[in-house]
Amino acid sequence: MRILVHERERVVVSGTTMADIGAEFPGSDIFIVNGCQVTGEYQPQDGDGCWCLAKGKMVSEEELKRLLYLRHTPGVQDVISRAVVGVMGLGGLGSVVAGALARIGIGRLILADYDIVEPTNLNRQHFFVDQIGMKKTEALAANLRRMNPYVDLTLHDCRLTADNIPSLFGGVDVLVECFDDPAMKAAAFRLALTDMKTMGYVGASGVAGLADNNLITTVCHRPYVFIVGDNESESKPGQGLMAPRVGIAAHHQANQVLRILMERAGQPSTGSGPGP
Amino acid sequence: MVIICNGKEQEVAEGSTLLQLLNQLQLAPDTVVVECDKKIISRDDYGGMMLSEGQNLELIRFVGGG
C-alpha cells in the first residue's frame, strides 16, 4: 500500500507500524497520522499521511508549517495561512484572541493598542510581570513570536478612532473588536455595518465578572458580523474583568474568526451555529 | 406617540428626538448603535433625528470591558 511519510510517497507492506517507520528517524518518539497523534503500534492505512518527530526537538519553519497542515488538515490550513485578521485592543480579549490565532498559524495579524502593560492587566491579559511598562503591541508581538516564530505581525501603537480604523484595517478578512471602552465598541460596530461592510467582524459586549459560562453567546447580526458576550456584564466596581470569563469570550471570538474564514472560503465548518 | 423599539412598543413624547429617547431609556448615546427602518444612524445625527409614529428602531447597546 502507498502512504505518505513526511509528505513523500512510499510503498509499505500491510501491517507496518509507526514504530517501524520511525526507526528511520533517529530519536523519534511522537507519531502523527493524518493530524492525530498515535502510538508506535499504530498501523497506517493506504493513503495515510505519517510523521515521526522527536519530543522536545526544535522545529524549523517548514516543519512547523507542515505540522499545522497535519493537525488542521490541508483544506483548513490553506485558508488560515492566507488570512489577514485585525485585532483592535490588546487587553483581556485581544491578547488572547491574537494568541489563539497565532498558534493556529494565521497568515497575518494586524494588532493595535495605544497603551502600555500595567500590573492590573496581568490577571487576564497575556503579558508577563517582566513586561510591565512595555508597549502592549511590542510585548504581545514578543509573546506571539514565542508561540509561533513565523507569524507575520503588523503593529500599530496608536489610539484607534472611527476615523483611522478604515485605513489601518481596510484590507483585513476579519476584524476583531476587543476594546474596553463601550463607546469605541459601538463606533467600531457602526463602521462594520456601514463603511467596512465587505469584511467579517467579531465584536464583544458583556464579558466581566463570573456569571454563568453559558450566558456568553455568539450572535449573528448580519452575514459575517457577530457579537460575542452576554450583553449585560459590564466591567464596574464589584464586577471586574477576570481571565476565566474574558477568556471564554475571547475564544468565542477566535473560533468565530475561523468559522467566518472557512465559510467565506466555501468550506463551512460542520456543526450547528448562529449562521454565516 | 408610539414607536417600535427592539420589537416592542415604546411610548415617547410627541416631537422627541432619537437622543431624547436614549436619555429616556437611560442609555449612554455613545454606547448605542441605532438602526432605523434598516438604516444605520450616524452618531452625529442622534440629536437632530426626529422620531415619528410607528417608526421601527433597533438599538444595540454595548457595555464596557475587554
Side-chain angles (χ1 to χ4, degrees):
Chain A
M1 61 181 185
R2 288 170 192 279
I3 61 171
L4 288 169
V5 177
H6 293 205
E7 309 274 277
R8 293 211 175 89
E9 193 177 275
R10 79 161 60 168
V11 177
V12 295
V13 296
S14 183
T16 301
T17 65
M18 285 306 292
D20 296 332
I21 297 165
E24 295 168 39
F25 302 93
S28 65
D29 50 5
I30 295 177
F31 307 109
I32 295 174
V33 176
N34 299 341
C36 190
Q37 196 164 339
V38 298
T39 65
E41 290 82 56
Y42 187 88
Q43 299 176 6
Q45 304 299 304
D46 194 49
D48 280 351
C50 307
W51 278 71
C52 306
L53 304 163
K55 202 169 185 169
K57 185 171 164 271
M58 189 57 201
V59 289
S60 69
E61 177 171 3
E62 205 49 41
E63 284 172 317
L64 195 68
K65 283 184 175 168
R66 279 185 183 162
L67 285 173
L68 292 175
Y69 271 86
L70 284 170
R71 273 270 167 203
H72 303 157
T73 74
V76 173
Q77 194 60 34
D78 276 334
V79 174
I80 297 174
S81 301
R82 279 199 307 266
V84 181
V85 176
V87 182
M88 305 188 292
L90 305 178
L93 292 170
S95 66
V96 176
V97 168
L101 296 177
R103 284 189 187 280
I104 61 168
I106 208 86
R108 183 165 159 232
L109 284 172
I110 303 177
L111 308 173
D113 199 296
Y114 67 90
D115 216 346
I116 59 170
V117 178
E118 291 181 55
T120 57
N121 300 153
L122 299 179
N123 80 326
R124 66 190 185 283
Q125 306 183 13
H126 278 199
F127 301 107
F128 298 98
V129 172
D130 60 14
Q131 292 178 318
I132 289 170
M134 281 178 76
K135 287 176 180 176
K136 280 190 173 178
T137 44
E138 288 175 10
L140 187 61
N143 298 342
L144 297 176
R145 289 195 174 109
R146 291 183 68 190
M147 298 173 191
N148 176 354
Y150 314 112
V151 61
D152 182 4
L153 303 175
T154 300
L155 308 178
H156 296 300
D157 176 38
C158 65
R159 194 180 276 272
L160 295 176
T161 67
D163 293 327
N164 65 14
I165 289 171
S167 61
L168 294 176
F169 295 97
V172 300
D173 295 303
V174 185
L175 184 58
V176 195
E177 176 272 296
C178 300
F179 291 127
D180 188 53
D181 173 12
M184 276 311 297
K185 289 176 178 293
F189 186 64
R190 209 175 284 120
L191 280 175
L193 299 182
T194 55
D195 297 351
M196 300 180 77
K197 270 184 188 164
T198 56
M199 63 179 187
Y201 184 88
V202 188
S205 178
V207 302
L210 43 86
D212 191 321
N213 303 339
N214 296 333
L215 293 175
I216 299 219
T217 57
T218 299
V219 174
C220 183
H221 285 261
R222 292 276 196 290
Y224 310 117
V225 174
F226 294 82
I227 302 291
V228 166
D230 65 17
N231 299 310
E232 299 285 338
S233 302
E234 66 178 314
S235 164
K236 62 183 180 184
Q239 183 171 267
L241 293 156
M242 291 188 281
R245 201 157 191 266
V246 180
I248 291 172
H251 286 102
H252 265 248
Q253 288 187 292
N255 192 50
Q256 197 57 45
V257 169
L258 200 47
R259 290 175 61 84
I260 291 171
L261 293 172
M262 294 309 296
E263 181 80 29
R264 295 191 99 172
Q267 301 181 57
S269 34
T270 54
S272 62
Chain B
M1 65 178 179
V2 175
I3 60 163
I4 309 298
C5 196
N6 289 355
K8 289 181 192 150
E9 291 190 352
Q10 172 72 45
E11 184 69 40
V12 291
E14 206 71 41
S16 292
T17 64
L18 172 58
L19 189 60
Q20 284 165 332
L21 169 69
L22 295 178
N23 288 334
Q24 181 186 328
L25 296 173
Q26 296 186 311
L27 297 173
D30 284 343
T31 68
V32 182
V33 174
V34 182
E35 185 179 355
C36 177
D37 299 327
K38 303 290 170 196
K39 186 171 172 288
I40 302 298
I41 309 302
S42 161
R43 171 64 187 90
D44 294 338
D45 296 339
Y46 287 11
M49 184 180 147
M50 305 300 292
L51 300 178
S52 56
E53 179 78 30
Q55 217 163 20
N56 199 343
L57 294 183
E58 284 291 325
L59 306 183
I60 302 151
R61 169 209 177 215
F62 288 83
V63 299

